[in-house]
Amino acid sequence: HLAAATVRRDGKIVRARILREEAGATGGPRLPAVAAHKRALADGRTKRGKPVRGEESFVELQAHVTDMGEDRFKKGARRIVNFARENGCDLIIMEKLGGLIPDAERERGINRALVNWNRGNLVEWVKQLAVDAGLRVVEVAPHWTSQLCSKCGALGARFSADHGQPVFDAVGKMFACPECGYSANADHNASVNLHRRFYGELAKVEKVRNGVYRVTNLDQPSAEVDLEQVKSRLAARAARMCSGEAMPF
C-alpha cells in the first residue's frame, strides 16, 4: 500500500484508511518496474564504457525512467492530498524522510538508492500539491511510533507472517500490545502515533542497555521494558493473527 492515513479531530481519530496504489494503467508505474529500468540503464552504461566528453548515453531510457518516476510520485501524492481535502484537514503530518517506507520498498531488488529516491520525491510532490490545495505539511520524527501502542502507550512489537508463523522485525506489517491487548495494522498504529508525537503526547523511550528500554508516558511512572520479554508474551497471540484467526484492521 501507499500509506496509512488517519484524521484526528478534537483529540480523537475520526477516520482511518489504508491508501493503496491504484492498479493498472491509471495507477502509475510500480516501484519494482522503475527499479528494473534503472538497473537496465546502469548495466547499459557499464557495458558501453566511459562516454565521449559532452555525449550523453542512453538518453531515451533515462528520460523514460524520469517520466515513470514523476508519474508515480504525482499520482501517489495526489491520493494523499485528496484524502486530506476530502476530510476537511488543513495540515498533513508525515514521517521524516528516513522513516518513510512504502510497501514496495520492502520488495526484493529495491536498493537503498532507489528507496531514498522514491521517498524524497514522494514527499516533495506532496508538499507541492499541498501548497496548491492550501494545506500545510509537517514532517515528524518517526522513532518508536510503530512500536508504541497508540491506545495505552506501552511498548509492543511489529511482526509479519512467514508460512503462518510470526517473525518479529522492525518492518513487520502487524502490531500487538502486551499490556492492553490492542492489535492493528502496524502502519495504522504508527500513523496514529505521529499525531501524538506532533502534539507532544507520545511516550519517551530511552535505551537502558541492549534490548532493555525505559518507557515514560505523560500520565504514568516510567518502566523498564525488555523487548525479548515483550515478544515472548506476544508469541501465542501473534501466531493466531498470522494464521488468520485474528487479523487486525
Side-chain angles (χ1 to χ4, degrees):
H1 60 260
L2 175 67
T6 50
V7 178
R8 173 166 156 159
R9 192 167 291 125
D10 297 326
K12 296 180 179 180
I13 299 299
V14 297
R15 185 85 186 277
R17 180 187 295 175
I18 298 294
L19 301 181
R20 305 188 184 279
E21 294 183 273
E22 297 176 3
T26 61
R30 307 287 293 181
L31 195 58
V34 179
H37 280 73
K38 275 184 164 283
R39 284 195 297 271
L41 182 61
D43 290 345
R45 286 174 172 169
T46 298
K47 293 174 182 177
R48 184 182 186 279
K50 187 176 181 179
V52 177
R53 184 173 182 177
E55 178 185 343
E56 294 185 53
S57 58
F58 299 91
V59 175
E60 291 185 2
L61 182 54
Q62 177 63 71
H64 181 57
V65 170
T66 301
D67 290 343
M68 287 177 72
E70 185 167 306
D71 185 38
R72 171 185 173 82
F73 305 135
K74 279 185 178 179
K75 288 178 177 177
R78 188 171 291 115
R79 287 181 66 78
I80 294 171
V81 172
N82 284 348
F83 178 80
R85 293 183 62 187
E86 290 165 4
N87 287 279
C89 303
D90 54 17
L91 174 69
I92 299 175
I93 302 173
M94 299 188 70
E95 289 186 358
K96 282 187 177 178
L97 186 58
L100 183 63
I101 311 179
D103 272 2
E105 298 182 3
R106 298 167 183 154
E107 298 181 21
R108 291 181 179 179
I110 310 299
N111 63 27
R112 175 59 57 183
L114 186 56
V115 165
N116 291 335
W117 173 78
N118 182 58
R119 296 177 191 174
N121 280 283
L122 177 62
V123 171
E124 287 307 310
W125 273 108
V126 169
K127 289 179 178 178
Q128 289 184 41
L129 295 179
V131 170
D132 294 340
L135 304 174
R136 287 194 303 137
V137 177
V138 175
E139 293 180 76
V140 176
H143 310 303
W144 297 102
T145 54
S146 66
Q147 291 175 270
L148 288 166
C149 178
S150 59
K151 293 292 185 183
C152 73
L155 193 59
R158 292 183 70 145
F159 58 94
S160 290
D162 183 11
H163 297 92
Q165 294 300 313
V167 176
F168 291 93
D169 58 50
V171 293
K173 294 184 177 182
M174 293 175 274
F175 168 85
C177 174
E179 299 300 331
C180 71
Y182 178 65
S183 58
N185 174 289
D187 291 333
H188 167 76
N189 183 68
S191 177
V192 176
N193 277 334
L194 284 177
H195 292 278
R196 300 185 67 196
R197 171 153 286 157
F198 178 76
Y199 288 105
E201 301 166 355
L202 195 65
K204 182 180 180 181
V205 181
E206 301 171 289
K207 184 175 181 179
V208 177
R209 55 186 180 277
N210 285 342
V212 178
Y213 297 85
R214 180 178 294 107
V215 181
T216 306
N217 279 289
L218 297 180
D219 55 351
Q220 301 172 18
S222 60
E224 290 190 5
V225 181
D226 186 318
L227 283 182
E228 290 306 314
Q229 291 182 8
V230 168
K231 295 174 185 178
S232 178
R233 292 175 61 189
L234 290 171
R237 180 149 56 97
R240 291 195 299 272
M241 291 168 65
C242 290
S243 69
E245 293 181 31
M247 290 295 289
F249 205 70

